[in-house]
Amino acid sequence: MSWDVIVLNFGGKPPEDLEELPEDQNADPLGSAEEVRHLISHALPGVDWSDPTWGIYTGDEFSFEFNTGKEDPIESLMVHVRGNGHPIPSLLKFANPNKWSLIDCSTSELIDPHNPSDEGWQGFQAVRDKVAKIYGDESATSEDAQ
């Protein structure tokens, strides 16, 4: 189970409301696959790109799985966040310098790079912990970070 975040490139000018985004307006590509991996690794040293379409980063009590897909250039990518801790600063660490936008899949809202809300992350953790408790999987919260 993961909290999912989509990374898109609106050139630093994301729409104020995703619902009002015209259907014919697409985000720009993030870059070539090699460039995207480089930019992420520059901001977050230690990303394991053994599988170039699926990077893994271990932070402080959380982990990211970067699902870049096989397309080149990369149009968007999905970040699967697991564990506990505070992952939003690390998400912003690679997104902000590249003027990439982050969309919280649980709230369907952009994460404001200047005033980020952790509502989606907190909500995800609450649901995950409740499900783990109901099904007796106490290890779900600690194993998710590995």
Side-chain angles (χ1 to χ4, degrees):
M1 182 176 235
S2 66
W3 177 56
D4 297 331
V5 176
I6 298 173
V7 182
L8 294 170
N9 182 7
F10 292 111
K13 298 177 183 175
E16 289 194 28
D17 185 350
L18 290 174
E19 302 250 340
E20 295 179 12
L21 184 66
E23 287 186 33
D24 62 344
Q25 182 179 348
N26 294 324
D28 294 329
L30 298 171
S32 71
E34 183 178 344
E35 178 184 22
V36 169
R37 287 190 299 271
H38 171 77
L39 292 170
I40 291 171
S41 294
H42 179 74
L44 300 174
V47 177
D48 176 0
W49 293 105
S50 299
D51 176 346
T53 66
W54 200 263
I56 299 172
Y57 173 74
T58 302
D60 187 22
E61 296 186 51
F62 63 87
S63 67
F64 294 159
E65 291 178 351
F66 295 97
N67 182 353
T68 63
K70 295 180 181 180
E71 299 293 321
D72 197 352
I74 295 174
E75 299 290 329
S76 66
L77 65 94
M78 182 73 75
V79 183
H80 305 284
V81 183
R82 292 185 172 80
N84 297 300
H86 303 285
I88 293 175
S90 292
L91 289 168
L92 295 172
K93 198 172 188 180
F94 74 83
N96 284 354
N98 299 301
K99 298 182 180 177
W100 294 342
S101 297
L102 302 171
I103 299 174
D104 178 340
C105 292
S106 65
T107 63
S108 300
E109 294 181 5
L110 287 158
I111 295 175
D112 183 338
H114 306 293
N115 186 22
S117 168
D118 67 351
E119 176 186 349
W121 173 240
Q122 295 297 325
F124 159 75
Q125 290 182 88
V127 169
R128 177 203 61 200
D129 294 350
K130 183 175 183 178
V131 169
K133 185 176 181 181
I134 290 170
Y135 291 98
D137 188 2
E138 297 290 328
S139 66
T141 58
S142 60
E143 286 179 8
D144 276 348
Q146 299 174 7

